[in-house]
Amino acid sequence: MANLNTEEIKKLKKGELCGLIALICAGISCVALIVLFAIAIAKADNDLRVYASLTCLPVGVFSLAAAICNLKFGKTLDRLIKNYVQEVFIENAALMHPEKDGLTYYISYDGSEFFVKANNFKEQVVFDFSSFGKLSAAKKSNIFNAIVERLEATFCKLAERGGKYKSVAYCAIKGGKQSKAVSIIENGTPDKKTYKNYLKQQ
């Protein structure tokens, strides 16, 4: 059964937070650098120019730290999300109703859970992200994108293998409001933009 390791996620989230703090510090240092240089030029103060030059060091250090944390922790979290989404879809393949040639998937969320429902069927595929704690807007966006990418990859691959689908699309439901449907397959052919996204993932 697909699941997420809470302890591992906690450690990765701490690392991701350190990266965010480093990025903020890099931004503050960069602003300080610009301000100091502007003042130094305006006052023709060489000593101040030296101090401003020294500000480049923390900008570089914080930027490097942010990049390392993003690669080590942020990318790992994104990979965990994508793997979990894929596993849940595989375990609940029947609920996706791939036997239908016309499908619209409705993606919604409530708290730490995301739901995917095909057409007007009552059954839903449930993705439980409670291991992440309270989800930020950025993390919700990452999860939504991971679900969309898996839907796109699945149906583009099925189309390549000879699967016959008249139309496949998805739409988001937020606050009871439904977004415009986005096509994955239309008139039996994968949408051009969707297919390009699929090829990039390969």
Side-chain angles (χ1 to χ4, degrees):
M1 182 177 177
N3 58 63
L4 293 164
N5 187 317
T6 303
E7 291 306 311
E8 181 185 10
I9 287 170
K10 282 181 180 178
K11 290 177 183 177
L12 291 170
K13 283 184 72 179
K14 284 180 182 178
E16 188 180 45
L17 179 61
C18 289
L20 179 60
I21 292 170
L23 186 62
I24 291 170
C25 290
I28 293 170
S29 300
C30 189
V31 170
L33 172 64
I34 293 168
V35 171
L36 284 173
F37 257 118
I39 294 172
I41 291 169
K43 292 187 174 183
D45 189 329
N46 290 329
D47 290 336
L48 195 55
R49 288 185 185 184
V50 172
Y51 289 129
S53 299
L54 292 174
T55 311
C56 291
L57 180 61
V59 171
V61 170
F62 286 129
S63 297
L64 180 62
I68 291 171
C69 287
N70 182 53
L71 285 171
K72 187 174 181 180
F73 303 108
K75 296 294 183 184
T76 303
L77 277 170
D78 288 344
R79 189 165 58 251
L80 281 177
I81 290 171
K82 288 182 180 182
N83 289 344
Y84 174 68
V85 166
Q86 182 175 2
E87 288 172 12
V88 172
F89 269 136
I90 290 171
E91 289 179 359
N92 296 276
L95 299 184
M96 303 305 292
H97 295 280
E99 74 282 357
K100 301 291 182 183
D101 63 1
L103 290 160
T104 299
Y105 292 104
Y106 300 93
I107 306 169
S108 59
Y109 69 87
D110 182 15
S112 60
E113 291 185 325
F114 276 69
F115 310 92
V116 176
K117 183 177 74 169
N119 294 355
N120 293 318
F121 292 101
K122 290 182 179 180
E123 306 93 342
Q124 299 183 106
V125 179
V126 181
F127 302 86
D128 183 3
F129 288 94
S130 56
S131 299
F132 280 81
K134 187 177 180 181
L135 297 174
S136 65
K139 200 60 68 184
K140 287 177 182 176
S141 177
N142 286 352
I143 293 168
F144 180 83
N145 289 336
I147 290 171
V148 168
E149 283 179 11
R150 182 45 42 194
L151 286 172
E152 290 178 343
T154 298
F155 284 98
C156 284
K157 192 170 289 184
L158 287 171
E160 282 183 341
R161 294 176 179 177
K164 303 298 182 185
Y165 292 95
K166 291 178 182 176
S167 67
V168 179
Y170 68 87
C171 62
I173 296 177
K174 184 178 179 181
K177 294 183 179 180
Q178 181 179 313
S179 70
K180 183 180 178 181
V182 179
S183 291
I184 296 175
I185 292 178
E186 193 170 355
N187 298 321
T189 305
D191 175 77
K192 288 182 180 179
K193 185 178 179 182
T194 297
Y195 193 67
K196 282 183 180 178
N197 291 338
Y198 162 68
L199 292 177
K200 286 178 185 178
Q201 296 167 33
Q202 302 311 300

